[in-house]
Amino acid sequence: MADALSLVVEDLVVMGDERRPIMTLDRLSLPRGSTLGVRGPSGAGKTTLIFALAGLLPNVSGRISWGETDLTALGEAGRRAFRAAHVGMVFQDFLLFDELGPAANAGVFALFSPRRSRHHVRTRAERLLARMGLSSDRSSTATLSGGERQRVAVARALANEPDILLADEPTASLHREAADLVIGDLVAHAREADHTLIVASHDERLLDRMDRVIELAGGARAAA
Ligand SMILES: Nc1ncnc2c1ncn2[C@@H]1O[C@H](COP(=O)(O)OP(=O)(O)OP(=O)(O)O)[C@@H](O)[C@H]1O
């Protein structure tokens, strides 16, 4: 596992399809291994910030430095390599493979892992699913409920033990009890080994567990 990384964001501007800024953040500094919540009204740019921090967006100016690496100075291939080495993501709309079962989805990173760590990723995925109360022997995720799909997506992100975990509304489609379990898993993952955790969320129970919370106002320049 790679060392945890600190984060420095400066003068971040993300441009939308019409070449207009859709998210701006003046400054954010996060020590390695800390947890951050991002709140803000719908459309404020929370998803955009999470995607930019993962290096998923092309039209980004300013600085996003994870340790020594400035993502805004890298091309697409460089950002992809950085993501593969460091970043786990929980997407708002899950992005599961419907035709694969929960275990195959949660353990999908085993396919891209070095041979020696594949078994570890798969075992960890199955352990996480069991802890979340999900049977791993179904052959498809198409018929799972929204909450169940959410838990598979969280298990997938955690199975790979990323040193940076970015999550977009990870509890949005869960009932309270399942949401609290997922919150416990995300925070435990961060605390276990000084992993960095950044979550965009409206869930106050989740935000309360973060070391810090920043507010995106949308449109206006934000600083943290
Ligand atoms: N590629 C794009 N081109 C133009 N505008 C975009 C693009 N992507 C997002 N937007 C707009 O940018 C704004 C921020 O979107 P974003 O999804 O980041 O908000 P959010 O805070 O995550 O909202 P929600 O809480 O509803 O998920 C929105 O007004 C959205 O419509």
Side-chain angles (χ1 to χ4, degrees), residues 6 8 10 14 24 32 39 59-60 64 85 87 92 101 112 127 130 141 143 154 166 191 201 203:
S6 59
V8 175
E10 279 175 341
V14 180
T24 60
R32 49 197 269 174
R39 69 150 70 86
N59 299 318
V60 173
I64 301 174
V87 180
Q92 204 168 10
F112 311 104
R127 201 162 0 103
T141 46
T143 53
V154 170
L166 303 172
R191 302 284 179 233
S201 185
D203 183 346

Side-chain angles (χ1 to χ4, degrees), residues 15-18 20 22-23 40-49 92 168-169 200 202 216:
M15 303 298 276
D17 294 343
E18 291 90 36
R20 275 202 297 270
I22 54 173
M23 209 283 305
S42 182
K46 302 179 296 298
T47 299
T48 305
L49 176 60
Q92 204 168 10
D168 193 8
E169 301 280 6
H202 296 282
L216 291 184

Side-chain angles (χ1 to χ4, degrees), residues 179-221:
D180 288 343
L181 266 181
V182 164
I183 292 170
D185 282 324
L186 292 172
V187 173
H189 171 81
R191 302 284 179 233
E192 260 164 33
D194 266 1
H195 295 120
T196 299
L197 169 66
I198 300 181
V199 290
S201 185
H202 296 282
D203 183 346
E204 289 301 325
R205 287 267 277 270
L206 172 52
L207 294 172
D208 276 352
R209 298 285 299 275
M210 300 296 104
D211 297 329
R212 259 174 75 197
V213 176
I214 62 168
E215 177 105 23
L216 291 184
R221 281 194 156 261

Side-chain angles (χ1 to χ4, degrees), residues 96-133:
L96 300 179
F97 297 100
D98 278 353
E99 61 280 12
L100 300 179
N105 265 289
V108 78
F109 288 115
L111 299 175
F112 311 104
S113 304
R115 190 175 290 273
R116 65 182 179 284
S117 50
R118 284 181 198 161
H119 179 69
H120 177 70
V121 173
R122 291 201 179 100
T123 308
R124 200 172 140 78
E126 289 191 13
R127 201 162 0 103
L128 285 158
L129 289 176
R131 185 178 141 60
M132 292 173 182

